Every structure is written in structure tokens, then in C-alpha cells.
Amino acid sequence: MSKLLSDLVEALRCLPGVGGKSAQRMAFHLLERDRERGLRLARVLDEAMRQIGNCSRCRNFSETPVCALCSSSGRDRQVLCVVESPTDLAAIEQATGYRGQYFVLLGRLSPLDGLGPRELGLDLLVERLGEGEIEEMIIATNPTVEGEATAHYLAQLARAAGVKPTRLAHGVPLGGELEYVDRGTLAHAFGSRHAAD
Amino acid sequence: MSKLLSDLVEALRCLPGVGGKSAQRMAFHLLERDRERGLRLARVLDEAMRQIGNCSRCRNFSETPVCALCSSSGRDRQVLCVVESPTDLAAIEQATGYRGQYFVLLGRLSPLDGLGPRELGLDLLVERLGEGEIEEMIIATNPTVEGEATAHYLAQLARAAGVKPTRLAHGVPLGGELEYVDRGTLAHAFGSRHAAD
Ligand SMILES: [Zn+2]
Ligand SMILES: [Zn+2]
């Protein structure tokens, strides 16, 4: 196998779920049958890695300073849903009929990993709660130990700002990750959210 | 989801076996955790799609005019193995102890698809057989109807040039594709090759 070809196989292994055998199949497939789309993937991938940053308001992925969702006039401004990651935000958008705002932590409280309130942008969140528009803050962290601790901390922030914190209903399996929950379960849990304890 | 992000998800679907859900998981994974490797993949993919051509001697993928295998002094020059695709060549290299030369058809005889002797580079193959070094030509086309017809045609070319044609032993499942055969079976079939009929 030529140097460039084995470099390509190796590089494809950065994709989650892709081992040596499927990386090789992908490389040969593109070279034999689909060079145009391979070139397009290279171009889009390069642009995405360089240009996608985070929205200055909600911290979700965005190539513009403020994302489309935050600048939309069609979204409810009284409800804010807090999630750990852009993946979780996408899962909620795709599974539920939620029409409010979001805030993305880009992590969860984890002192051992150096992730504290500053890294999660909680100063930005507090500022946002202080604007006075938000009435309910839906805490949609993952049901893991660190996610629960983060939720507890977030509920306190909300109450301090006079905002009602709510949690997703149980139904999301304990120890699981939101992005792997089936749409029906996630939609149900989202609809049955309750007051945070 | 931002325009650039949904473009990326769409572009990732050019990879075989990657549907909408895994494409989205891949895009988020790279953006959240692995931008450096994402950029490297974009660069290597672009180079590979542009620079990898075919060896002028064996037609395997190569970014140099003559590939490393054809220019190696460590390979037996008396045996030539003919395969349909670079994937099949890689499968044989990885599964067997074969140390001879190769010729890659980049297809199989298929008149309805406009694939005839010229498209498979058979003029180049005849020239190669005429050089007088090759004593045995191993025909390792796929055991499909078109692969068998191609094998039959190749065996006649070999005999006309005074070269002994051989076939892989049965053991490769009929109707299957070489690249999906397990290494053990492929190695066994390769070792038990017999005179072509
Ligand atoms: Zn935003
Ligand atoms: Zn070559």
C-alpha cells in the first residue's frame, strides 16, 4: 500500500467507530468510485474545523457570532434549556417539540478534570438569567454522577436569580447518555419534566 | 444545526456504511474533541484524491508513476497475480505469503457496462506476458458470473503467450467478494490454486 494511501487509512481512524478494516474500505471506496465526493468532504471538513466556533450567547456550535437559533424571533424567550453538549441540544431539537432557548455547558462540573463554573460559562448563564426574560430553566444534564451534581448547582443558580428550575422526567435510563436515548423516550422525559429538587 | 455543520454531516455520508445518525455523531465528535485530527484528515483526503493515480505497470493505486511493489527487487518476477481491484490486491497481500507481481484490472469484463479488454488494460497485460519473464499467471478474479467469464478470457490470453494460467482453489464462497472473505479462507484458497480450465 502506498505511503499516501496508508496515511489516508490511518487518518480515517479519527472517526468514531471506524477501525482499521473499515478505514481501508472507506479509502478504497472513495478512490475507486467517488473522488469528487471525497474532495468535497475534504473541503467541507477543513472549513468546518476552522470556521465553526461557539455562539456568544448559547455556546452552541456556530460559524456566526450569534447562532441562528439565538437570533430567531420564532423561539420562546421565557424558557431556557441547559445541556452539556451540542450533541444533546441536537438530540432534544430532533426528538421534542421544544421551542425555547438553549445554553450549552460544553462539559459538566468535574473539579478533577479542571472543569469548574468558569469553564462551563456559568458567568454567562448567570448574566442571561439576570436579564429578566427567563421564567423557567430546564436542566437537561446527563443522568450521571457528575451530571447530577452539575444539575444541583444549576438549580441553585436559577433559584438565586428568581427563575424556576425544572428537570427532565425519569425515563432517561440512569447512567446513560442523552444522545443514545431513543427519540420516544427522550420526548416523553422532556414532556414530563418536574420541579428540580 | 448551522449550515456548515449540516453540510459536514451530509458530506460524511459519502463514506460507505455511514448513515445520517453516524455522520452526525462523527461531525460532533470531531468538533468537540478532535479538530486537529479532523484537519489532518481533510488535508490527507484532499492529497489522496488528487495525487493517487495508477501504476503504469500494474495499475494498482500509486502516487508515483511506478508503484513500490513493481519497483521492488525483492518480489518474484516469474509469477503474476491478476485481480479485479486494488482492494482485492490488498486482501491477498494481507492474507497470504505471496511474493510475486500483480496486475489490477480495475473492473471485470462487462460489455453492458462498456467494460471490454481495452478498459481492463488487457493490451498492457499482453505486453507484460510477452516480456518472457512470467511463467505462471494466477487469475484471482471474483467468483461471480462476470468474474468467471473474465477468468476464462484471461486464461486464453495466458496460454496464447505460453504462460501457465492458474486459479484460486475453491474455498472462496461462490457469489462472494474477495474483500469480505476471512483471511484464513483466502490464504487456503490461494495456496491451493490449480491449473485454469
Ligand atoms: Zn446561540
Ligand atoms: Zn505497480
Side-chain angles (χ1 to χ4, degrees), chain A residues 1-5 7-8 11-16 18 24-26 28-32 35 37-39 41-42 44-52 61 63 85-87 90 94 179-180, chain B residues 1-5 7-8 11-16 18 24-26 28-32 35 37-39 41-42 44-52 61 63 85-87 90 94 179-180:
Chain A
M1 200 181 293
S2 82
K3 168 82 170 63
L4 194 45
L5 184 49
D7 283 354
L8 176 58
L12 282 163
R13 297 188 60 178
C14 71
L15 299 172
V18 176
Q24 184 178 309
R25 194 162 64 240
M26 287 171 171
F28 280 118
H29 173 88
L30 292 176
L31 285 167
E32 285 178 28
R35 294 206 187 201
R37 290 181 76 196
L39 281 171
L41 172 58
V44 173
L45 187 55
D46 185 81
E47 281 176 25
M49 296 298 114
R50 288 179 201 279
Q51 295 172 23
I52 294 179
F61 289 139
E63 63 263 26
S85 73
T87 309
Q94 284 159 21
E179 65 176 290
Y180 298 115
Chain B
M1 200 180 291
S2 82
K3 168 80 170 63
L4 194 45
L5 184 49
D7 282 353
L8 176 58
L12 282 163
R13 297 188 59 178
C14 71
L15 300 172
V18 176
Q24 184 177 309
R25 195 162 64 241
M26 288 172 171
F28 280 117
H29 173 88
L30 292 175
L31 286 166
E32 285 178 28
R35 294 206 187 200
R37 291 181 77 197
L39 280 171
L41 173 57
V44 173
L45 187 54
D46 184 83
E47 279 177 24
M49 296 298 115
R50 288 179 201 281
Q51 296 172 21
I52 294 180
F61 289 139
E63 63 264 26
S85 72
T87 309
Q94 284 159 22
E179 67 175 288
Y180 299 114

Side-chain angles (χ1 to χ4, degrees), chain A residues 26-185:
Chain A
M26 287 171 171
F28 280 118
H29 173 88
L30 292 176
L31 285 167
E32 285 178 28
R33 284 186 275 261
D34 224 351
R35 294 206 187 201
E36 278 310 311
R37 290 181 76 196
L39 281 171
R40 176 172 159 72
L41 172 58
R43 197 167 56 241
V44 173
L45 187 55
D46 185 81
E47 281 176 25
M49 296 298 114
R50 288 179 201 279
Q51 295 172 23
I52 294 179
N54 297 93
C55 169
S56 61
R57 192 158 169 80
C58 73
R59 312 211 324 158
N60 191 19
F61 289 139
S62 177
E63 63 263 26
T64 49
V66 175
C67 76
L69 203 149
C70 282
S71 41
S72 162
S73 59
R75 307 279 309 203
D76 184 352
R77 301 202 161 266
Q78 278 76 58
V79 197
L80 180 76
C81 178
V82 183
V83 292
E84 293 182 15
S85 73
T87 309
D88 296 337
L89 187 158
I92 290 173
E93 278 292 290
Q94 284 159 21
T96 75
Y98 180 64
R99 296 294 298 161
Q101 311 289 315
Y102 286 99
F103 188 83
V104 184
L105 300 170
L106 301 174
R108 55 193 92 176
L109 287 178
S110 180
L112 292 177
D113 301 316
L115 291 178
R118 179 196 297 270
E119 287 70 28
L120 303 188
L122 297 190
D123 44 346
L124 197 63
L125 178 63
V126 167
E127 201 178 292
R128 184 88 176 265
L129 294 173
E131 288 173 1
E133 277 193 319
I134 298 160
E135 291 166 9
E136 175 186 359
M137 184 172 92
I138 304 172
I139 303 168
T141 52
N142 282 301
T144 57
V145 173
E146 289 175 339
E148 292 291 329
T150 307
H152 189 72
Y153 191 92
L154 291 170
Q156 291 177 314
L157 287 186
R159 283 194 201 92
V163 169
K164 179 185 166 195
T166 57
R167 302 288 311 277
L168 298 200
H170 271 301
V172 177
L174 281 163
E177 302 274 337
L178 280 193
E179 65 176 290
Y180 298 115
V181 174
D182 68 279
R183 293 167 63 119
T185 306

Side-chain angles (χ1 to χ4, degrees), chain B residues 23-176:
Chain B
Q24 184 177 309
R25 195 162 64 241
M26 288 172 171
F28 280 117
H29 173 88
L30 292 175
L31 286 166
E32 285 178 28
R33 286 186 273 261
D34 223 351
R35 294 206 187 200
E36 278 311 311
R37 291 181 77 197
L39 280 171
R40 177 173 158 71
L41 173 57
R43 197 168 56 242
V44 173
L45 187 54
D46 184 83
E47 279 177 24
M49 296 298 115
R50 288 179 201 281
Q51 296 172 21
I52 294 180
N54 297 93
C55 170
S56 62
R57 193 158 167 80
C58 73
R59 314 213 321 159
N60 192 19
F61 289 139
S62 177
E63 63 264 26
T64 49
V66 176
C67 76
L69 203 149
C70 281
S71 42
S72 162
S73 59
R75 308 279 309 203
D76 184 353
R77 303 200 159 268
Q78 278 76 58
V79 197
L80 180 76
C81 178
V82 182
V83 292
E84 293 182 16
S85 72
T87 309
D88 296 336
L89 187 158
I92 289 173
E93 278 291 289
Q94 284 159 22
T96 75
Y98 180 64
R99 298 292 299 161
Q101 312 288 315
Y102 286 99
F103 188 84
V104 183
L105 300 171
L106 300 175
R108 56 193 92 175
L109 286 178
S110 179
L112 293 177
D113 300 316
L115 292 178
R118 179 196 297 269
E119 287 70 27
L120 303 187
L122 297 190
D123 44 345
L124 198 64
L125 177 62
V126 167
E127 202 177 292
R128 185 87 176 265
L129 294 174
E131 288 172 3
E133 276 192 321
I134 298 159
E135 291 165 10
E136 175 187 0
M137 184 171 92
I138 305 171
I139 303 169
T141 51
N142 282 300
T144 56
V145 173
E146 289 175 340
E148 292 291 328
T150 307
H152 189 72
Y153 191 92
L154 291 170
Q156 291 176 313
L157 286 186
R159 285 195 199 91
V163 170
K164 178 185 166 197
T166 57
R167 300 291 308 276
L168 297 200
H170 271 301
V172 176
L174 280 163

